[in-house]
Amino acid sequence: MAEKGIQMRDIEEMLTLDERSSADFILSLRKRWADTVYPAFVEEFNNSGKKIKTPQEGEITLKTMGLYPWFSHLERIGQKMMWRLGSDVVFRCSDELLEQLNSAPQKTSAQLELDPTLELPEYYTETDIHMQPGSFYSNDLSGYVYQFGARIVMLRDNDGYKFHKLFAQTALPDLPAKPRVVDIACGFGKSTRPLVSRYPDAEVIGVDLAAPGLKLAHAEAAADGVNIQFKQQDGRKVGLPDASVDLVTGTMILHEMPSEAIVETVKEATRLLKPGGVIRFLEFQPTGDPVRDATIYEHAERNNEPYFRALFATDLIEVCKKLGLKDAKWVAFDERAEGLRPQGWPTRSDWHFPWCVLQATKAA
């Protein structure tokens, strides 16, 4: 059996009582923002008698509502509080956390390949995405900070990779024996780990631009004896041969790219696929409800995601067709329990993202 790493201590175990209380407060604030403030804001708009036909109209009109500044401010201030707390905890425990990263053995089923010469694209470095100070790539502790924040953003409903397990179980197809699977923008491994359970005999490869996330992903996989290759690479230029991959996945990454990079990423995924191979990108799409869609478009400003609208403006179905992919379509996804929903999104009153899966197949 491959050598395992040291026992990884989760950051949750390191919180002081005051820090845990702060985390609980921030989580509660985010929940009430989603299930109380947002419905009240929508009700205010519905009672106003105002009408909008497009999200673009809505982005102007909704800002005239009395509750919109509160809705916007609470998301932004909650995000800032979350990153401040996460940073404080991580840097307080920096010695222990860095030791965990640096103690991961090299002779293990999990592998790590970093490329210190990799030039990070300007679109990636010019903004602190999600308002995380220094973003995800700036230093070795950034991965821990992002991991902490990601749990709160998902309202603790993705603990144990629940959300990504749903994606793997309901949105990913059966594959031939011993497939090769590539996860683009794997981050700290939350989207990659469930792929191993879904395809136990697969060669699973996670690629990402950020070394800190890859180091954390590798250390945790090594500690658990999980067989994943983590590589520091640009998802637009993965170092694998043409037609050598059975499945290319990506979760919540295309909306963080300008349109040109989105197309380049899908083009690269197509190059990697074997005939009959498939792509599955978990992203967001407009719902057709102008009020809801306007608040989704506005998330670009509220959360420092400048390319959010670029995804909506890029016709990826047409892009897939031009690349020779067939059966390209968006399919709704419910992150709470059902996963992939061909019948469309469920009716909900709370704020939530319109999760959707882009799926397509390379012609055999």
Side-chain angles (χ1 to χ4, degrees):
M1 180 177 293
E3 178 189 2
K4 291 188 178 183
I6 64 172
Q7 182 66 39
M8 295 283 288
R9 278 189 73 204
D10 193 279
I11 192 171
E12 299 286 334
E13 303 171 15
M14 303 180 182
L15 298 177
T16 65
L17 179 60
D18 285 346
E19 289 167 346
R20 188 169 299 280
S21 296
S22 295
D24 289 343
F25 174 81
I26 297 167
L27 178 62
S28 296
L29 178 67
R30 192 172 183 89
K31 286 182 176 180
R32 299 297 80 80
W33 165 77
D35 65 18
T36 301
V37 177
Y38 177 72
F41 159 63
V42 173
E43 182 179 14
E44 179 190 22
F45 175 82
N46 291 337
N47 291 337
S48 71
K50 297 181 179 182
K51 303 293 181 182
I52 57 175
K53 295 181 180 180
T54 67
Q56 290 76 16
E57 286 182 21
E59 288 188 86
I60 298 173
T61 305
L62 296 185
K63 292 176 182 177
T64 67
M65 300 291 100
L67 279 176
Y68 185 81
W70 288 100
F71 172 72
S72 179
H73 176 70
L74 284 176
E75 179 179 22
R76 195 164 178 86
I77 197 65
Q79 198 82 341
K80 288 183 176 181
M81 292 168 64
M82 176 188 76
W83 292 129
R84 175 61 183 267
L85 176 61
S87 297
D88 287 348
V89 175
V90 167
F91 285 99
R92 177 177 62 78
C93 304
S94 60
D95 289 346
E96 181 176 353
L97 294 174
L98 288 172
E99 182 182 2
Q100 290 188 159
L101 289 183
N102 296 328
S103 299
Q106 297 303 308
K107 294 182 179 180
T108 177
S109 52
Q111 301 174 37
L112 176 64
E113 295 180 15
L114 298 180
D115 181 3
T117 67
L118 180 66
E119 185 174 347
L120 302 182
E122 185 175 331
Y123 75 79
Y124 181 72
T125 60
E126 64 186 4
T127 303
D128 285 348
I129 297 291
H130 308 138
M131 292 189 290
Q132 179 178 351
S135 202
F136 185 46
Y137 62 87
S138 57
N139 64 71
D140 279 354
L141 294 171
S142 299
Y144 283 109
V145 176
Y146 184 70
Q147 185 185 56
F148 176 85
R151 293 172 177 174
I152 293 178
V153 167
M154 293 301 295
L155 304 181
R156 300 308 303 259
D157 200 35
N158 193 31
D159 290 6
Y161 311 112
K162 172 190 168 185
F163 179 27
H164 295 282
K165 286 178 181 177
L166 270 177
F167 174 66
Q169 292 163 358
T170 68
L172 303 185
D174 293 336
L175 296 176
K178 297 183 179 180
R180 174 182 277 173
V181 178
V182 171
D183 185 28
I184 293 178
C186 65
F188 58 85
K190 68 182 184 298
S191 58
T192 318
R193 292 288 287 269
L195 298 176
V196 178
S197 299
R198 179 68 174 86
Y199 306 110
D201 63 341
E203 177 188 6
V204 178
I205 302 170
V207 303
D208 201 281
L209 290 168
L214 292 166
K215 289 180 180 180
L216 178 56
H218 170 253
E220 292 188 337
D224 295 336
V226 178
N227 184 13
I228 302 174
Q229 300 174 44
F230 292 105
K231 301 174 182 285
Q232 187 179 15
Q233 295 179 347
D234 191 324
R236 299 172 299 168
K237 192 175 182 181
V238 178
L240 292 171
D242 294 356
S244 63
V245 175
D246 297 278
L247 168 67
V248 177
T249 67
T251 61
M252 296 170 280
I253 181 58
L254 299 182
H255 73 275
E256 295 180 0
M257 299 176 170
S259 184
E260 181 180 0
I262 293 173
V263 174
E264 289 172 347
T265 301
V266 176
K267 183 177 181 180
E268 176 67 352
T270 303
R271 180 191 72 79
L272 292 171
L273 288 179
K274 298 176 182 177
V278 297
I279 63 170
R280 294 289 188 272
F281 282 96
L282 178 61
E283 279 295 340
F284 318 114
Q285 281 292 283
T287 66
D289 177 342
V291 175
R292 180 164 195 79
D293 290 346
T295 62
I296 292 165
Y297 275 59
E298 282 285 308
H299 178 77
E301 280 71 40
R302 296 195 307 267
N303 204 44
N304 279 22
E305 300 196 62
Y307 305 111
F308 208 81
R309 293 181 181 83
L311 175 62
F312 301 153
T314 305
D315 187 348
L316 283 179
I317 302 304
E318 185 62 26
V319 168
C320 287
K321 291 179 180 178
K322 289 181 178 179
L323 290 172
L325 298 174
K326 63 178 185 178
D327 302 326
K329 58 183 176 181
W330 287 102
V331 183
F333 185 90
D334 174 23
E335 85 281 10
R336 298 171 302 170
E338 297 179 74
L340 202 67
R341 276 181 56 95
Q343 68 271 39
W345 291 286
T347 301
R348 295 173 61 177
S349 62
D350 60 320
W351 162 264
H352 63 285
F353 285 116
W355 302 102
C356 213
V357 178
L358 174 67
Q359 54 185 57
T361 303
K362 191 170 186 178

